Amino acid sequence: MYCSKLERLDMSFVSVTQSPFKLFTERCNGIKWLKMSGCHQIGEKCLWWALHHCRGLEYLDVAGNRRINGQCFFVAGKMLNTVIVRECEKLTDSCVSFLLKENRNLEVLDISYCPLLTGATIRNAVQHCPVLKELYIAGPNLNMKNTDMTTLGKLDKLE
């Protein structure tokens, strides 16, 4: 196994293409902490490979990615406790719901400035993530109702 001891990787703003990234995730599947913010060449397929091969992934940051919509979240392992998808313009409620339903131990979620997300994502987070401590929902485009905000009171671990 290649790079079997590698657990943390920050490849923010690195220009990487699909083939090398796929090979990397296959060979270095012990990654627990992965930051790919600003990696504009990383699309849905590359994120799928990371989630599929790195089953022990605990931290994922894909902030600023304008290509992913989250369809690959259904393969995410159950170990994720921090997910940062800030400024992911194509992210949808239905795709984020896969992630939230499977990761009941999620403690940090940043969905700020994701214009397609609505209060449905907030309601799913409240329903499926009982240990959520930090929730970031900044941005003028987040379509929420007052009732969505009041449901946040059900998260007793929220700081």
Side-chain angles (χ1 to χ4, degrees):
M1 175 188 230
Y2 298 86
C3 57
S4 60
K5 296 187 192 253
L6 184 64
E7 291 185 359
R8 290 177 61 101
L9 179 65
D10 182 348
M11 54 184 288
S12 298
F13 299 97
V14 171
S15 180
V16 63
T17 57
Q18 286 186 15
S19 295
F21 188 76
K22 179 183 179 187
L23 188 61
F24 166 76
T25 60
E26 288 172 348
R27 293 182 175 178
C28 302
N29 57 15
I31 298 285
K32 293 181 181 182
W33 192 96
L34 183 58
K35 185 171 182 177
M36 301 185 300
S37 60
C39 291
H40 300 296
Q41 290 183 321
I42 298 287
E44 202 71 26
K45 246 184 207 176
C46 288
L47 186 54
W48 184 91
W49 288 321
L51 294 171
H52 177 71
H53 293 296
C54 304
R55 302 306 292 169
L57 197 61
E58 298 171 1
Y59 178 99
L60 177 65
D61 181 346
V62 291
N65 188 302
R66 292 180 180 95
R67 295 183 61 201
I68 63 168
N69 61 21
Q71 287 181 347
C72 60
F73 285 150
F74 74 94
V75 297
K78 298 180 188 291
M79 303 296 290
L80 280 170
N81 60 34
T82 300
V83 175
I84 300 169
V85 290
R86 171 186 201 90
E87 297 174 5
C88 290
E89 297 172 353
K90 294 183 179 180
L91 209 58
T92 65
D93 286 325
S94 59
C95 293
V96 174
S97 72
F98 288 125
L99 179 73
L100 299 175
K101 289 176 183 176
E102 294 300 318
N103 286 281
R104 298 189 59 80
N105 294 321
L106 197 64
E107 295 179 5
V108 179
L109 177 63
D110 186 346
I111 55 171
S112 298
Y113 302 99
C114 295
L116 300 179
L117 297 184
T118 68
T121 294
I122 302 297
R123 291 189 299 275
N124 273 323
V126 169
Q127 182 179 358
H128 300 291
C129 303
V131 297
L132 196 61
K133 292 180 181 176
E134 299 176 35
L135 176 63
Y136 300 93
I137 54 174
N141 297 328
L142 192 60
N143 185 7
M144 288 183 11
K145 300 175 184 162
N146 288 338
T147 54
D148 298 325
M149 289 302 293
T150 57
T151 61
L152 290 176
K154 296 178 182 177
L155 292 170
D156 53 346
K157 304 243 189 265
L158 207 56
E159 297 175 354

